[in-house]
Structure formats: structure tokens, C-alpha cells
Amino acid sequence: MYSVEVANLTKIYGKFKAVDNISFSVNKGEIFGFLGPNGAGKSTTIKMLCGITQPTSGSGHAGGFDIKTEQKMIKSNIGYMSQKFSLYDDLSVIENLEFFGNIYGIRNNELNKRIDAVLEMAEIGENKNVMVARLPIGIKQRLSLGGAILHDPSILFLDEPTSGVDPIMRRNFWELIYRFSSEGKTIFVTTHYMDEAEHCDRIALIISGGIMAIDSPSGLKNSLQYSVYTLKVKDFIHAFDIISGLDSISEASIFGNDIHILCKSDMKNPENIIKDILIKNGFSDITIKKIKPSLEDVFVTAAKAKDNKVFL
């Protein structure tokens, strides 16, 4: 039995199709990621799975409960951390946790034990009497996670949980996610960070409400039907304009001061072809070499496939 199952799930707001006929399943204990830009349909999907928003059509189950007819049971059995902190600024850390505990029907000694465990897990015990309004974003983030796991749910839905925090705080947060996963909890996380998606067991690439591909990070990269090259050259912006306009190049994108170039796998001697074209256009000191594809390469290709109605 899967922790999450979705079939032909669709959500339409007026004339806007936020989620477009998606189907997937999540295994128990899996860290499953939704990778996509803002507005791709990630949050809308999570809200349907958490029983917050009613689907327009399709079906789904979370923890064995129907997302259309058993929303109350879902809310009682899952943990949910939204993009916006669901904290009360005018309450202290411990008062927020007591409030969350009462919502889930946890009382007295059991609530005190759970709160102590959360304070220790999130390493926020020294702030337990501090008003939430005075907390830095990293502590608020861990407190939100603590509130989501206070009732010991088997599934955690984390919607852009590390958005807006520095890389060190993101790494610390993911250490907590790994810990929950090792305890057998299912983690469903949305993100637009490529490096963060690498931490997931499997990823669904979602663009404009539709799922383009689902696989492990390595599986997605290995499935790319292109060879990837990195180009280093002075005046790389001008070089990019030239390279991206070539019919023989499938895709070109700027990575820092370098250019990533995607060529069809059967293209012969792309390094020499690209170098000769740049030399003819007055470039020198050209370094081009084949590299392993990144998730960003995969995502760029998926976005282009979406535009051309051809999926990975």
C-alpha cells in the first residue's frame, strides 16, 4: 500500500488549470520531491492531498484516506508545513506548541512529553519562552516543523520548507528530514532548489501544472537523450547568443560564467563544430568539454519539451 496515490488529479480555478491531470504514487518511508518553479502547481497539489482544497476532478488518497471524502481524517493523520509560517507571533514558542497539541487532542502529560521531544529535536529549547515575533526565520522554520510532527504523523507534507533561508540552515533542516525518513515517515516535499531535490529518493518534475517525468535524481539525469558540454570563453554572453542560435544545438543555457550546451547524442564531434564556429566569430581561449548532466539540464530540457508537447 502506498502512502500517497493520485490518479488524473486536476484543479481548475476559473479558466486557469493549476494542476493538469497528474498521476503518481509515493512509497512508505520515501522522500518524494516535487521540483518546479513558482506557479507550477506544487502547493495546489499538496493542499488537495492534505484535504485543504477540493479537486476539480480525479482521485487521490493520503495515508489510505480519500482526499475528497475523508479530509478530516487526513488532517488528523498527516503533518503539514505550509510555505507561510502557521505560527502565532503574539504567542511564545511553547504556547504555539501547546496550541498545536490541543488541536490534535493531545493533553496533559502526553502533551508535555511531546513538546519536550519537539524542543529537543528542533534544538529550540532555549527559546521556548520567547515570543515568535522575535525569532529569526531559521528558528521559526524549525518551530513550524515541530508543530507539524507534534502528533507523530506517518506522512509529512512540506511545502517549500527552506525557502528564504541560508544554505547552512537548509542543510540543518534536511538533516531533520533524513532523521524522520529513517524513522519510517513518508516525506513529501516541494522545492524549486535543484541541489535540494538531489536529496530526494525520487522527484517529479512539474511544469505548468503537468508532471513531465518521475524518477530518482540519477535516473532522471541518465535518461537525458542529449550529450552535455560546458563552454568557458571570454565574452560568454556574446558566445551564448551565437551558440543558442545554431540549428545543431538543442539547448544552451548560462551557468554562472559558463555555458551548458545540449547536443543530440548522435551528433558527431560537437566540440570541434562549436569551437570552429566561435573561432570564425573572433573568439579565442575556448575551453569546451563533455560533462555529466545536472538536474538543471534535465529541467531545462523538460521545460522545452513541455513547450513542444514532447515529454521526457
Side-chain angles (χ1 to χ4, degrees), residues 58-59 67 188 214 255:
S59 62
I67 63 172
F188 191 120
I214 299 178
F255 281 62

Side-chain angles (χ1 to χ4, degrees), residues 56-124:
T56 302
S57 62
S59 62
H61 291 79
F65 300 107
D66 192 297
I67 63 172
K68 287 184 175 180
T69 61
E70 298 178 293
Q71 294 98 330
K72 189 172 183 180
M73 292 299 297
I74 289 175
K75 292 173 184 176
S76 298
N77 286 276
I78 58 101
Y80 170 56
M81 180 178 169
S82 65
Q83 278 183 298
K84 296 181 179 179
F85 297 117
S86 55
L87 303 172
Y88 292 92
D89 283 345
D90 55 349
L91 297 178
S92 67
V93 167
I94 198 164
E95 287 171 338
N96 267 277
L97 291 174
E98 288 172 345
F99 176 76
F100 293 140
N102 286 322
I103 288 177
Y104 289 113
I106 309 171
R107 299 286 188 273
N108 304 323
N109 289 337
E110 181 62 23
L111 177 56
N112 291 332
K113 289 179 183 178
R114 298 276 185 92
I115 288 176
D116 288 342
V118 165
L119 292 173
E120 180 180 358
M121 174 277 299
E123 298 180 350
I124 54 176

Side-chain angles (χ1 to χ4, degrees), residues 32 148 245 253:
F32 185 83
S253 54

Side-chain angles (χ1 to χ4, degrees), residues 148-159:
I149 60 115
L150 192 64
H151 57 303
D152 194 29
S154 60
I155 308 174
L156 271 175
F157 289 96
L158 309 176
D159 192 10

Side-chain angles (χ1 to χ4, degrees), residues 198-223:
E198 294 272 9
H199 298 306
C200 298
D201 297 317
R202 284 191 305 142
I203 310 165
L205 303 183
I206 182 168
I207 302 172
S208 301
I211 292 179
M212 301 296 99
I214 299 178
D215 205 339
S216 64
S218 60
L220 286 171
K221 287 180 279 190
N222 291 336
S223 70

Side-chain angles (χ1 to χ4, degrees), residues 122-133:
E123 298 180 350
I124 54 176
E126 63 184 23
N127 296 286
K128 66 180 182 180
N129 294 315
V130 177
M131 303 297 284
V132 165

